[in-house]
């Protein structure tokens, strides 16, 4: 049994069958390759289609990008679920607002996915700290950086593709996957030197 519990990340969209499950599975897969067991990534919806599997387009994206869609079931966002999280990644600003309504104390732990991906590369983080220590240091700095001007707030949202055309699904993929990659690359950068070199 690990002495250190995993750092818990919750991703949140509306129905919990498109955007947030895609982030959950791809982010978990990427982080596990770097620091196995250090993160637990899950998802929920503000108006979840409870018990539903991933939408087929999304399951296809997830598989093509190297993760699994197996065993997924949508679930409803609740205050109790939010209370367990170390970081919450909303897919739009309206989801972020709903999260904070349910749990006001999470104001300081909630970002949209694209917002955090935009901010994170410019935040100075001490190399070599463990996962929880890194995030404890970086989240307050990211909150300060949030107030900086110079971008369109709409750029922090990911489009909802549900029941729309293939073009909208593709737009969603283009908005989500680079942001996930930024978080994974940030983790890669800050885990260098923590593990012995493989021979």
């Amino acid at each position: 049994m690990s002495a250190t519990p995993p750092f818990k990340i919750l991703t949140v969209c509306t129905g919990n069958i498109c955007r947030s499950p895609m982030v959950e599975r791809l982010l978990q897969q990427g982080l596990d390759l770097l620091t196995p067991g250090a993160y637990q990534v899950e998802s929920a919806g503000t108006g979840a289609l409870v018990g539903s599997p991933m939408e087929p387009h999304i399951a296809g994206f997830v598989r093509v990008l190297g993760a699994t869609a197996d065993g997924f079931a949508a679930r409803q966002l609740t205050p109790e679920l939010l209370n367990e999280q170390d970081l919450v990644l909303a897919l739009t600003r309206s989801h972020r607002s709903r999260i904070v309504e349910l749990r006001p104390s999470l104001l300081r732990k909630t970002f949209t996915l694209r917002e955090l991906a935009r901010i994170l590369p410019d935040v100075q983080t001490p190399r070599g700290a463990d996962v929880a220590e890194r995030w404890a240091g970086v989240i307050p700095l990211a909150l300060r950086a949030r107030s900086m001007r110079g971008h369109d707030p709409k750029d922090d949202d990911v489009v909802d593709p549900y029941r729309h055309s293939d073009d909208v699904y593709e737009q969603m993929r283009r908005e989500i996957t680079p942001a996930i990659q930024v978080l994974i690359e940030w983790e890669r950068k800050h885990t260098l030197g923590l593990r012995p070199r493989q021979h």
Side-chain angles (χ1 to χ4, degrees):
M1 190 173 170
S2 173
T4 306
F7 186 85
K8 292 186 176 183
I9 300 175
L10 186 72
T11 73
V12 177
C13 69
T14 304
N16 192 214
I17 61 169
C18 292
R19 293 167 288 179
S20 59
M22 183 168 173
V23 178
E24 171 194 322
R25 293 302 173 95
L26 294 179
L27 185 57
Q28 183 75 71
Q29 188 245 8
L31 293 171
D32 279 349
L33 289 174
L34 297 169
T35 48
Y39 287 92
Q40 177 181 307
V41 188
E42 297 182 331
S43 64
T46 58
L49 300 174
V50 174
S52 297
M54 277 187 220
E55 198 279 339
H57 288 79
I58 303 303
F61 283 148
V62 166
R63 292 187 183 106
V64 165
L65 292 166
T68 179
D70 296 348
F72 181 83
R75 62 178 177 169
Q76 180 64 32
L77 184 70
T78 64
E80 292 74 23
L81 180 59
L82 284 169
N83 204 38
E84 301 170 2
Q85 306 308 317
D86 298 304
L87 176 67
V88 185
L89 299 177
L91 273 296
T92 68
R93 291 164 293 154
S94 64
H95 295 130
R96 186 180 67 195
S97 296
R98 179 61 181 146
I99 289 159
V100 174
E101 284 173 13
L102 286 172
R103 270 281 180 255
S105 62
L106 283 178
L107 177 64
R108 292 183 170 85
K109 293 183 179 179
T110 303
F111 300 83
T112 75
L113 171 71
R114 296 180 78 195
E115 174 188 40
L116 186 59
R118 172 173 52 80
I119 292 168
L120 204 53
D122 296 326
V123 175
Q124 295 298 313
T125 311
R127 189 185 298 271
D130 69 21
V131 167
E133 288 172 345
R134 281 203 306 277
W135 282 106
V138 83
I139 286 174
L141 299 175
L143 285 169
R144 277 183 225 135
R146 170 187 281 170
S147 61
M148 294 172 62
R149 304 289 179 182
H151 78 285
D152 187 334
K154 288 184 289 189
D155 290 341
D156 290 338
D157 294 344
V158 172
V159 67
D160 184 359
Y162 186 54
R163 293 183 172 171
H164 289 289
S165 68
D166 288 352
D167 287 346
V168 182
Y169 278 91
E170 183 59 25
Q171 179 186 345
M172 180 220 67
R173 186 194 65 77
R174 291 195 307 268
E175 291 173 349
I176 280 181
T177 51
I180 293 171
Q181 197 56 39
V182 167
L183 301 191
I184 293 169
E185 287 303 317
W186 181 84
E187 177 69 7
R188 186 192 312 279
K189 175 183 175 183
H190 291 94
T191 55
L192 288 175
L194 288 182
R195 291 175 293 171
R197 183 173 296 175
Q198 300 294 314
H199 295 288

